[in-house]
Amino acid sequence: MSLEDLLAPTTEPRRYVVTGGPSAGKEAVLAELHARGVPASEDEPAREIYRRHRDRLGRHLQVADRRAYSRDVLAAFVAEYCDHKAGLRFYNRGIPDGYGWDAFFGLGPYPDLEEATRIYRYDAVFVLDPLDDFDSEDDLVFAQEREIRRVHELIVQGYYDAGYRPIFVPADEPGRRVDFILAQLPVPST
Amino acid sequence: MPTDDMTARPTTSREDGLAAEVRTLLRTGLPIRLAAGPRLLGLRGVQARARRPDDPSSLARALDGLLREQLDRLENTGLAEASRLLFGAEAATSGATLTARRQAAADASGYEVHHFRKRIEPKLIDLVAWQLRRDSDTFMARHATAPELRAATRPLVLPADVFAWEAVEHQHALARLWGAVYLLRAELLTTARLASMDAPATETDAAATRALWRHALVLAAAAEYRAAYGAALLDRAGDTDLGPDQIAAYAGWTPPLSPAADLILVRLADPDGSLADFTARLDAARGGSELTADWRRALSGRDRDTDPNTLPAAAPEGSTP
């Protein structure tokens, strides 16, 4: 099946996740997909939810606040999943990302996340390998590499735990990464 | 036929027994059962991925995911499919006997099965063990290091990304904690110098009191970190013991205090307040004067005839005024 066939709005929905740790170059890959007319997430739902929680609390999220935040993010991911009815779409992170993020902040999996992971399945998961040079992507130089690395590995682990076999996208410039991703399509469902 | 030249790998994994445990694990293959070897489950990369590093089943799941990832990333791409079949990472051989997995792997790689078992399989095991070791080595060493500072060449511009915001919040908490630790260290050093120089007691006591104030601020910063992120550092990698309280102790030796005294100090510590505010409030708290006096004596060396580790620290229970 060609990319044009996959893009046709009459075909069955196919959902692909683009994920990875911080500084993996995710935004650049999604921007490249948009530039090529490939449907992809416009935004990351977690941003607005994070702002909302922080505004409500008047401070940074603490351990006791994180479950509620995680549930709101999950609900947004599920809504984004269900909104897609036909053709192909790339997602800026997927439901199982929740495993990795929660684990990073010391939380275990919870029933709603496990149920959503079981029900809402993606056709494939593309994990962007971390870019070698953090400076080239943004100014997160102060977030030490080990912190970034740990988030990345926990996210990957979350997808394996959820029964996916991620496809690793080597560090490269965005155009070549998108070429690599599109060359894998259609990936059979896991 | 793929090349079976994999002789360039280090022998570390074989020497430390990791390869032997991978060989044992291969008997049952994937998915991994609880009985995986202690070296495998103890790998820093496994510990860091486990949701609950103290739970053996969580460690086994983490090892399962890590092994699948390493097989997906196998250095010898010509044998990648054969390796996944051999370990049962492919649906076709998942849960199958080793004999069946080995046959499938040999077929996929174009080797006769006995040659595969004798010549290829041991090298694959070594390669997988080496990759597992390399993965763990990339996690940081087990010691606390303050956030690394670098010369800024441009203004700090954050991407609109949740992790960037989270990272900034976390680095903020860490910077406050480490900043407090270094300020305490400065006062502890000064107090030690004054004591060594036989400075007048008023000078040494004043330095020791500043150290107590800084110590209270360290305790408060550690408590702030714990409330936000828990008792262990987020970026601790495989070191599950390292937490804000351990970092607080990095400033240098301080007289041991009772938990009640710690609580009082945390309550009195105000990051925006002055030394005068702190001492006034401590003096007014029940037991505060005794706590200060004990602290001064211990730091100035006037208690040297007694073991400082058994110093009977004051435990004020009074509330703040």
Side-chain angles (χ1 to χ4, degrees), chain A residues 47 54 60 149 160 165, chain B residues 72 84 135 138 160 169 229:
Chain A
R47 288 180 196 163
R54 209 186 185 294
H60 183 45
R149 168 77 195 271
Y160 276 113
R165 187 171 149 200
Chain B
D72 283 341
R84 289 196 296 271
D135 171 83
T138 57
E169 297 276 15
Y229 301 106

Side-chain angles (χ1 to χ4, degrees), chain A residues 6-15 83-89:
Chain A
L6 289 170
L7 289 169
T10 52
T11 59
E12 286 292 300
R14 280 182 178 268
R15 301 176 177 87
D83 283 348
H84 183 58
K85 306 294 186 193
L88 135 167
R89 184 174 181 81

